[in-house]
Amino acid sequence: MNVKPKVLIVDDRVKNIIVLEEMLADLDIELMRASSGQEAIDKASKHEFAIVLMDVRMPGMDGFETVEIIRKDPLNELLPIIYITAFYNEDYYRVKGIKTGAVDFITKPIIPDILIGKVSVFMKLYKQRKNLEEEIVWRAQIEKDLKKAKDLAEDATRAKQKFLSTMSHEIRTPLNAIINTVNLLKEEEPREDQTESLDILKFSADNLLQIVNDILDYSKIGAGKIEFEKVEFEMRKLLTGVRQSFNFEAKRRKLEMEFNMDKSIPPVVVGDSIRLTQILINLVGNAVKFTEKGSITIEAKPVKRHNSQIDIEFRIIDTGIGIPKDKITFIFESFTQASSSTTRKYGGTGLGLAITQKLVELQGGELKVESEVGKGSIFSFSLPFLVSDKPFVEEDAMQKSSFHSLKGLRVLVVEDNLVNQKIVSKYLSKWEAMIEIAENGRIAVEMVKKNRYDLVLMDLHMPEMSGYEATLKIRALKEKYYKDLPIIALTASVFLEDREKIFEFGMTGFITKPFNPKELFWTISPFLKKRD
Ligand code: ADP
């Protein structure tokens, strides 16, 4: 602080003022004078004083009255005032002085050391207060800047989220159509040369979908929007499923697939089975991708058990190309691969491990890797699960029954996209359901009013009237039938908030596009049973 603290000396006698000034001459302060109460009030309203030395006995307005008026100015409410008086020992003065907010008294005759000591203390306090005030202003500014930066960052994240949500829809919709059409074509007994082309088409489309999903997942993790579910599932079934999904590829490349699950793992545990599958698929996928000969082993064993919690360690062991020591830390970074030739030779985006690592960490685990070039790699992690005492997960009765018929189920398909209309209709007619089609929400509402359906499959984004609005309109109709009518959303979005919105608008459930025929069947088949 460069400005010297100001001290006001108030006394009707100049001689007294001069004496005080001389005593305080060595302090690093600026002294100002007032020879009457009025002058003191004027000066106090114009300057900021660190302290006022106030004579009590003055003609006209005395010291006490002066201080009372000075104090009325909110800026001077706490201004430290020391009374200079010969009458300090008299109770009347003491009480009056304290009532007007004196911080101290100095009695005449003045002892210089006492005066200097007292004034110095107040100077110190004043300086401290000033520093604090400056710091508060500085901090407030920083807070303001931080808030501005945070708002900007949040805006940017929102814009990114919106962009990704749109992109997710825009890219996944045509991609769905490609994947589903290929699936249908493959079921229509193509020629051998066509089968090969269809396989390539399917492989590329699946790959592209995986990349889009990876990017979406990665951005969701970045935005802190990932949530983990707690569901009961059978560990053996999950691990077998993961292994099975690579059987074909492993066989094609003559790789052994081994599977080792410790018997002491409880049959049913509680955790996020979908994310665990995603983690394992990523790691086993890499193992298969980067192994030319030998084997891939998936291992699971318990490492810690505490009451109802169990930590299970998973190890994915391959005999593949391995990772150079100096590259090991980089492979977990996003968009990074161990060698620049990797993309050319093996494909991929370099996002898989970044996502996998985050998914493991966010659930309280750590992803580790040991690797030797030319020998192979071991990726391992352990995650906590809750132990369930059930021997197996009860399956829906319909799921156990065979995957064949929806005979007699009356379904209204609300979808504007012609390819999607065709795909859904083809599957539904294969399963012997009765289908009608509405091209948008408005037509759907009309049709629901005129006819009886067991189920509505509702696309969300459509011209004229969206699926959300159509659902609101249907639910607002009077009869109970309209409140109970199952409405299943068809959505390409993988965002949690979009899924929540589906339920907020009164829909019964959702199916994600591209349709997995089995998922489509299992989702709608329970409604056949309910109708009976
Ligand atoms: P992507 O597989 O899409 O390239 P990842 O993030 O899954 O991206 O992997 C990053 C890199 O780590 C890979 O490109 C590869 O160089 C290396 N890598 C991962 N897993 C293995 C493995 N099992 N064996 C050898 N290298 C691996």
Side-chain angles (χ1 to χ4, degrees), residues 286-287 289-290 318 322-323 331 336-338 342 348-350 352-353 377 379:
N286 275 349
K289 190 158 83 169
F290 295 108
D318 69 54
I323 306 156
I331 58 167
T336 309
Q337 302 183 317
T342 307
T349 54
L353 283 180
S377 315
F379 282 83

Side-chain angles (χ1 to χ4, degrees), residues 189-244:
E189 290 164 22
R191 292 193 316 262
E192 208 168 297
D193 59 318
Q194 287 173 327
T195 305
E196 203 176 307
S197 305
L198 286 174
D199 283 343
I200 296 172
L201 195 57
K202 179 156 168 50
F203 177 79
S204 308
D206 281 345
N207 211 5
L208 186 53
L209 187 66
Q210 183 56 46
I211 294 172
V212 173
N213 285 346
D214 271 2
I215 294 176
L216 289 174
D217 252 348
Y218 186 70
S219 81
K220 260 198 300 181
I221 291 172
K225 287 229 156 127
I226 208 131
E227 282 178 27
F228 293 94
E229 288 187 337
K230 279 199 176 358
V231 292
E232 285 187 328
F233 67 93
E234 282 171 66
M235 187 59 86
R236 180 167 293 275
K237 223 182 218 176
L238 185 146
L239 293 175
T240 323
V242 170
R243 186 180 64 159
Q244 268 169 1

Side-chain angles (χ1 to χ4, degrees), residues 134-172:
E134 272 172 29
E135 192 162 320
I136 287 168
V137 171
W138 180 68
R139 271 174 200 249
Q141 186 56 44
I142 287 186
E143 229 163 73
K144 225 164 114 191
D145 292 350
L146 274 177
K147 190 172 173 315
K148 212 161 137 195
K150 188 169 152 258
D151 288 350
L152 276 176
E154 277 173 1
D155 283 352
T157 310
R158 261 193 298 274
K160 195 169 94 184
Q161 203 71 20
K162 177 97 186 53
F163 167 75
L164 285 168
S165 169
T166 314
M167 186 186 93
S168 128
H169 187 249
E170 297 301 325
I171 298 183
R172 286 165 56 102

Side-chain angles (χ1 to χ4, degrees), residues 63-82:
F64 297 136
E65 283 171 76
T66 310
V67 170
E68 261 170 45
I69 296 172
I70 287 177
R71 285 258 186 267
K72 281 192 185 134
D73 179 349
L75 289 175
N76 286 326
E77 217 175 359
L78 298 170
L79 173 62
I81 295 194
I82 298 180

Side-chain angles (χ1 to χ4, degrees), residues 215 366 406 497:
I215 294 176
E366 189 192 349
L406 295 175
E497 46 300 4

